[in-house]
Amino acid sequence: MSKRNTPQRRHAILALLAERGEVSVDELARRFETSEVTIRKDLAILEKNGLLLRRYGGAVPLPQDLAEDRPLSAGKQAIARAAAARIREHARIIVDSGSTTAALIPELVHKRGLVVMTNSLDVANALRELENEPVLLMTGGTWDPHSESFQGQVAEQVLRSYDFDQLFIGADGIDLARGTTTFNELLGLSRVMAEVAREVVVMVESDKVGRRIPNLELPWSSIHTLITDERLPPEARGQIAAHGVELVCVAVPA
């Protein structure tokens, strides 16, 4: 399939997954006569859109309880409201790429005098639509289609030229022993973001807590606050608090 047929290929991947219950990268590459890199990109985008879960060498369907019951939109909005309440007027903040962090932007409409750095075009465009448009800073760097954000050494150098009050960042998963985890192997920029911010605020829905993902992004020692929803089990709350992290569990409207 040509690049213009990418949506059809991804639709076919989902149909095959529904039929078989699991798919492998090498099998899909052969079937669609494309590279394994392209298939991994497909699976990453489909996972980001909540349509499957990747695993080593392939993908499996989204668990039924998550597919049917998780209040994605309401949960992210509730987390975003709690995050916005922590931002003072005239603060200097970083907003990382991601759907949960992007939900923060509409909540900034009444905040005045903000300076906002981001590596996300989606976040930047949303900021420009605010009535009280903040001072917008972009990291620049190399565009990474996997995370749909700018990454790399140039972005890291730009970040190190500033200091910030807060970083708002998401995660693909939360390892209760280690910290935030990600499928993306480009970890450097997230760590630099954490280095240049006085407070690191992780925004993540509770269904990502305990997900086994290989790449450690931020260790608990780099995280100050975790904002999630009230569905987080008590034992997980205790383990997170034991790392010295402030835990905020928000109510999610039905």
Side-chain angles (χ1 to χ4, degrees):
M1 289 187 178
S2 64
K3 184 173 182 179
R4 64 185 178 184
N5 288 325
T6 295
Q8 292 96 317
R9 184 181 64 248
R10 291 174 181 170
H11 179 79
I13 290 173
L14 291 174
L16 190 64
L17 183 60
E19 175 187 336
R20 298 189 178 181
E22 64 179 303
V23 291
S24 66
V25 171
D26 57 351
E27 174 195 11
L28 293 174
R30 290 195 302 270
R31 185 182 186 93
F32 297 110
E33 298 181 345
T34 188
S35 69
E36 292 189 3
V37 171
T38 295
I39 294 298
R40 289 192 185 97
K41 185 186 299 183
D42 288 339
L43 297 182
I45 294 298
L46 291 171
E47 182 181 57
K48 184 174 182 180
N49 291 332
L51 298 172
L52 54 75
L53 286 178
R54 284 196 296 167
R55 69 171 196 179
Y56 182 77
V60 296
L62 200 68
Q64 198 67 19
D65 59 337
L66 297 186
E68 294 181 353
D69 297 333
R70 61 177 184 171
L72 279 176
S73 179
K76 289 177 180 178
Q77 289 176 3
I79 290 169
R81 283 193 294 271
R86 306 178 69 88
I87 300 173
R88 300 184 304 274
E89 292 191 346
H90 304 287
R92 299 164 61 88
I93 66 174
I94 308 171
V95 180
D96 191 21
S97 61
S99 57
T100 306
T101 48
L104 174 64
I105 305 309
E107 304 297 331
L108 303 180
V109 64
H110 299 301
K111 304 285 183 178
R112 297 182 180 276
L114 295 180
V115 177
V116 185
M117 170 76 82
T118 186
N119 62 335
S120 165
L121 291 177
D122 289 341
V123 170
N125 288 330
L127 286 166
R128 294 179 61 246
E129 297 299 320
L130 293 179
E131 183 175 348
N132 296 320
E133 184 177 342
V135 174
L136 172 61
L137 305 175
M138 292 290 296
T139 63
T142 302
W143 181 255
D144 171 41
H146 175 93
S147 62
E148 296 187 348
S149 64
F150 291 101
Q151 303 282 340
Q153 293 185 356
V154 170
E156 293 174 17
Q157 291 171 3
V158 170
L159 273 167
R160 288 195 171 102
S161 300
Y162 298 86
D163 63 88
F164 296 90
D165 299 304
Q166 295 160 302
L167 161 64
F168 295 91
I169 188 169
D172 291 325
I174 299 290
D175 186 316
L176 290 169
R178 299 188 299 160
T180 66
T181 56
T182 179
F183 290 109
N184 196 346
E185 295 184 355
L186 298 175
L187 305 169
L189 190 65
S190 297
R191 293 173 179 174
V192 174
M193 287 179 174
E195 289 173 10
V196 299
R198 283 185 282 277
E199 180 187 15
V200 175
V201 181
V202 175
M203 304 167 60
V204 64
E205 290 179 283
S206 62
D207 56 25
K208 290 187 176 181
V209 176
R211 291 180 65 182
R212 295 183 177 180
I213 299 172
N215 300 321
L216 176 66
E217 188 168 29
L218 295 179
W220 287 117
S221 59
S222 297
I223 300 167
H224 301 90
T225 306
L226 175 68
I227 303 178
T228 187
D229 58 74
E230 62 185 359
R231 295 172 298 162
L232 187 68
E235 60 272 19
R237 300 187 188 200
Q239 287 181 261
I240 292 170
H243 292 292
V245 173
E246 179 185 358
L247 179 62
V248 179
C249 295
V250 299
V252 178

